[in-house]
Amino acid sequence: MTDVALSGLLPERATRVRELIADVPDFPSPGILFKDITPLLADAEGLADVVEAFTRLALADGVDVVAGMEARGFLLGAPVAHALGLGFLPLRKAGKLPPPTHSVSYDLEYGSASIELRSGTLDPGARVLIIDDVLATGGTAAAAAQLVEKCGGVVAGLAFLLELDALHGRDRLTGHNVDTLLRVGTTSDG
């Protein structure tokens, strides 16, 4: 069952946003139901609704800068930063930023990965809202929070368009303010 509650948006607008997220079965591998936000990004009204909802979260959390996780977090976080009149920090996959960088490594289902932030781009003590499209297992989000803190920032909150409840990613983010705009009870929900 999907819980549609987009941070103060009327139920009709929240339902429309959810309807713009396409379910793609068996992608990227059999048994996975991929949540494709491309139709949402292509819809001006739907995208504006999501930016408005994220902006409300940022205002409530008292944010100085917005960070987005590669890659869809860039697509959602940058317009939120713009709407707030704030800067945007891209949290990139290892090797995508010129040195010097700070990095944090984390475990994936099969292996490990790292994310990086360009040194000198985050003011010490700045309150950061980290945005991404999906909260699944929480590994990347936990690494993003750790990276912000390693660079001297304060994690004001983590905000996600969609949370897959069955994967319990929120459990890895204990101690942080976590908000999701849409929640899906199981990975097979549509």
Side-chain angles (χ1 to χ4, degrees), residues 64-161:
D64 298 315
V65 65
V66 176
M69 291 184 272
E70 191 164 339
R72 291 177 298 268
F74 297 175
L75 300 173
L76 298 171
V80 171
H82 177 73
L84 292 165
L86 300 175
F88 176 77
L89 297 173
L91 305 178
R92 304 284 323 256
K93 294 177 183 174
K96 300 289 185 176
L97 291 171
T101 61
H102 295 281
S103 69
V104 170
S105 295
Y106 59 100
D107 292 328
L108 297 169
E109 188 176 352
Y110 300 104
S112 64
S114 296
I115 56 172
E116 296 179 336
L117 178 61
R118 181 96 160 87
S119 297
T121 57
L122 178 59
D123 292 334
R127 293 182 50 77
V128 181
L129 175 65
I130 301 170
I131 293 179
D132 204 6
D133 64 329
V134 176
L135 174 58
T137 64
T140 305
Q146 184 181 356
L147 180 60
V148 164
E149 291 166 349
K150 180 178 183 178
C151 293
V154 175
V155 178
L158 294 104
F160 303 90
L161 173 61

Side-chain angles (χ1 to χ4, degrees), residues 13-24:
R13 290 170 70 191
T15 298
R16 182 166 170 4
V17 166
R18 175 58 190 105
E19 290 170 350
L20 288 167
I21 300 171
D23 291 335
V24 181

